[in-house]
């Protein structure tokens, strides 16, 4: 199981961090409590007031924010780091300017290129090969590991091409034109005891560009939702 470590940014270093975030010109995403369910709004940073730990924001769309003057959850990125904070989205009616002040802890989490999402009660992942549907243990942007029952293990060999397959992540299905087996090993339970299942690691080798783009966006949404849940579980926000 992957471990995630959230660090609190030192308050003495926060003014400089906010300046770097503003200079980086990455969008800021805001929602009320849950990136997986709430409507997510995107803002641009137009200025920073370091000594007040404040970011001045402009909404990317012309519509007023549904979260103005409400407690919100704030997220943005800087290089390989993701930043989270809970704060209030202030709105000035006279000039239409939004702002957020970092009055509470400001958290950082390092991004991982090989980030894997584990299948669980909230996330269903299936992989279909030649009409056979396999449950998946986890998934990344480049591949998936499937669980193969004892009576279906014949024929799997390392480096074998498995042809056209269908990947299902929750309610969305993606077609993979080519994929290849890269690892095979026996599955073990939580106590480290072997089960009768086999785990087969599969690499995507030909993902249609349009479908791949949609899949990456889907993965990004799942990762954001999981990070929010983990942060809340650790009582960070």
């Amino acid at each position: 199981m992957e471990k995630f470590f959230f660090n609190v940014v030192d308050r003495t270093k926060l003014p400089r961090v906010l300046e770097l975030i503003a200079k980086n010109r990455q969008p800021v995403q805001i929602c009320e409590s849950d990136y997986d369910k709430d409507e997510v709004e995107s803002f641009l940073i137009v200025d920073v007031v370091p000594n007040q730990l404040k970011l001045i924001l402009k909404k990317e769309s012309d519509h007023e924010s549904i979260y103005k003057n409400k407690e919100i959850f704030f997220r943005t990125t800087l290089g390989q780091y993701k930043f989270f904070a809970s704060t209030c989205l202030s709105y000035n009616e006279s000039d239409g300017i939004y702002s957020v002040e970092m009055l509470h802890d400001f958290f950082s989490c390092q991004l991982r290129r090989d980030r894997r999402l584990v299948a669980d009660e909230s996330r269903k992942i299936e992989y279909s090969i030649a009409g056979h549907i396999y449950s998946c243990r986890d998934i990344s942007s480049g591949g998936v590991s499937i669980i193969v029952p004892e009576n279906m293990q014949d024929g799997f060999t390392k480096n074998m091409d498995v042809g056209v397959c269908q990947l299902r992540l929750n309610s969305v299905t993606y077609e993979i034109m080519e994929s290849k087996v890269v690892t095979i090993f026996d599955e073990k339970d939580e106590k480290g005891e072997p089960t009768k299942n086999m785990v087969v690691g599969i690499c995507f080798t030909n993902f249609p560009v349009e479908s791949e783009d949609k899949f990456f966006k889907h993965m990004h949404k799942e990762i954001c939702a999981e990070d929010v849940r983990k942060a809340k579980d650790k009582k960070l926000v």
Side-chain angles (χ1 to χ4, degrees):
M1 180 71 70
E2 244 181 48
K3 294 182 179 179
F4 297 85
F5 299 95
F6 292 82
N7 298 307
V8 178
V9 177
D10 189 318
R11 300 292 285 187
T12 62
K13 297 179 180 178
L14 189 49
R16 178 56 178 161
V17 170
L18 294 178
E19 287 180 321
L20 290 172
I21 289 172
K23 185 177 180 181
N24 194 45
R25 299 186 181 278
Q26 286 297 309
V28 169
Q29 283 79 40
I30 286 174
C31 68
E32 193 163 17
S33 61
D34 191 336
Y35 278 100
D36 196 30
K37 297 178 182 178
D38 293 347
E39 180 177 342
V40 178
E41 296 184 338
S42 186
F43 292 75
L44 298 175
I45 301 173
V46 295
D47 202 0
V48 58
V49 188
N51 62 339
Q52 295 181 28
L53 302 181
K54 179 188 290 188
L55 293 174
I56 310 301
L57 308 176
K58 178 183 178 182
K59 198 167 183 291
E60 286 198 309
S61 72
D62 294 330
H63 302 291
E64 283 190 0
S65 171
I66 62 175
Y67 302 125
K68 67 178 184 179
N69 300 320
K70 290 184 178 181
E71 289 295 320
I72 53 91
F73 194 78
F74 161 104
R75 179 180 62 81
T76 191
T77 59
L78 175 63
Q80 289 299 305
Y81 286 87
K82 203 182 302 184
F83 295 95
F84 300 88
S86 60
T87 184
C88 177
L89 179 65
S90 299
Y91 180 68
N92 189 317
E93 296 282 353
S94 62
D95 57 17
I97 294 296
Y98 296 90
S99 64
V100 288
E101 289 185 58
M102 304 309 153
L103 302 176
H104 309 298
D105 286 341
F106 194 75
F107 299 96
S108 67
C109 176
Q110 189 168 11
L111 298 168
R112 300 182 180 185
R113 290 184 178 180
D114 59 345
R115 177 72 176 269
R116 302 190 76 82
L117 292 172
V118 178
D120 55 25
E121 293 180 357
S122 65
R123 183 182 301 113
K124 186 175 183 180
I125 311 171
E126 294 179 334
Y127 204 65
S128 176
I129 303 173
H132 297 292
I133 299 175
Y134 300 90
S135 295
C136 299
R137 190 175 69 163
D138 54 42
I139 188 172
S140 72
S141 59
V144 66
S145 61
I146 65 173
I147 301 171
V148 183
E150 185 179 24
N151 63 342
M152 300 175 68
Q153 295 175 6
D154 291 342
F156 280 100
T157 58
K158 190 173 180 179
N159 295 321
M160 72 174 285
D161 294 322
V162 290
V164 178
C165 301
Q166 286 75 43
L167 166 67
R168 184 178 178 86
L169 177 56
N170 291 333
S171 60
V172 183
T173 300
Y174 303 92
E175 187 164 70
I176 314 295
M177 301 310 295
E178 295 176 19
S179 52
K180 182 174 70 173
V181 174
V182 290
T183 58
I184 298 175
F185 57 91
D186 294 330
E187 182 187 49
K188 294 184 179 180
D189 61 22
E190 294 180 354
K191 296 180 179 179
E193 298 295 327
T195 69
K196 294 183 179 180
N197 297 330
M198 183 170 71
V199 178
V200 177
I202 295 175
C203 174
F204 307 142
T205 55
N206 186 351
F207 208 147
V209 175
E210 185 176 349
S211 296
E212 186 177 39
D213 183 57
K214 291 179 180 178
F215 171 66
F216 284 170
K217 290 178 181 177
H218 193 169
M219 279 282 292
H220 180 69
K221 181 180 178 181
E222 289 286 325
I223 288 170
C224 289
E226 182 166 284
D227 283 342
V228 170
R229 287 193 293 269
K230 287 180 181 293
K232 288 182 177 179
D233 288 344
K234 291 177 179 290
K235 298 181 180 180
L236 296 182
V237 294

